Amino acid sequence: MPSDAMQIQVCYAQPDGQTLLELNVPPGATIEQAIRCSGVLARHPEIDLERQRVGIFGQLKPLDTPVQSGDRIEIYRPLKADPKEARQRRVAKKRAEGSREGNKWQGRR
């Protein structure tokens, strides 16, 4: 390993497990370059970098962001449902069941 190489991780999680790959990249490497060098795209052909979001330690970042030594690059799967709509459906269900929890925001306790 060259002395100026940076050690990073690339992570992709699925419902049934995760892939965590460690690799060394040269200084100035971007998130996209690191992902492509990691081999994760070959292991998971469903990953589409044009559509999926990526980040470093839970913070969304563009693909052209330079990585730093010790970074964990995360590839995020698309959401199955809009969180706001899912919450509205849960509240509507609780209200229909007559739950106190579902009615507290309507002024009924």
Side-chain angles (χ1 to χ4, degrees):
M1 165 176 97
S3 62
D4 58 346
M6 300 182 300
Q7 187 172 5
I8 62 160
Q9 296 178 327
V10 175
C11 180
Y12 180 63
Q14 295 180 295
D16 57 347
Q18 74 173 2
T19 299
L20 183 62
L21 304 168
E22 292 191 15
L23 66 145
N24 295 308
V25 295
T30 65
I31 289 176
E32 183 174 11
Q33 292 167 337
I35 290 171
R36 293 192 186 284
C37 289
S38 72
V40 72
L41 298 176
R43 288 184 185 200
H44 300 282
E46 71 275 11
I47 296 174
D48 181 0
L49 292 179
E50 297 295 320
R51 297 181 53 214
Q52 289 177 243
R53 293 181 170 193
V54 298
I56 296 176
F57 290 117
Q59 299 291 316
L60 290 177
K61 302 285 183 184
L63 287 170
D64 61 354
T65 302
V67 296
Q68 297 182 14
S69 186
D71 280 352
R72 183 184 66 227
I73 298 170
E74 300 161 345
I75 304 169
Y76 306 116
R77 290 179 290 122
L79 296 176
K80 297 248 182 223
D82 176 33
K84 186 175 179 181
E85 290 176 10
R87 183 181 181 286
Q88 289 172 344
R89 284 194 301 271
R90 286 193 308 272
V91 169
K93 181 180 176 187
K94 292 284 188 184
R95 285 181 182 154
E97 293 171 354
S99 164
R100 177 176 171 213
E101 184 68 23
N103 290 321
K104 74 179 182 181
W105 301 115
Q106 293 182 331
R108 293 183 241 155
R109 293 190 182 239

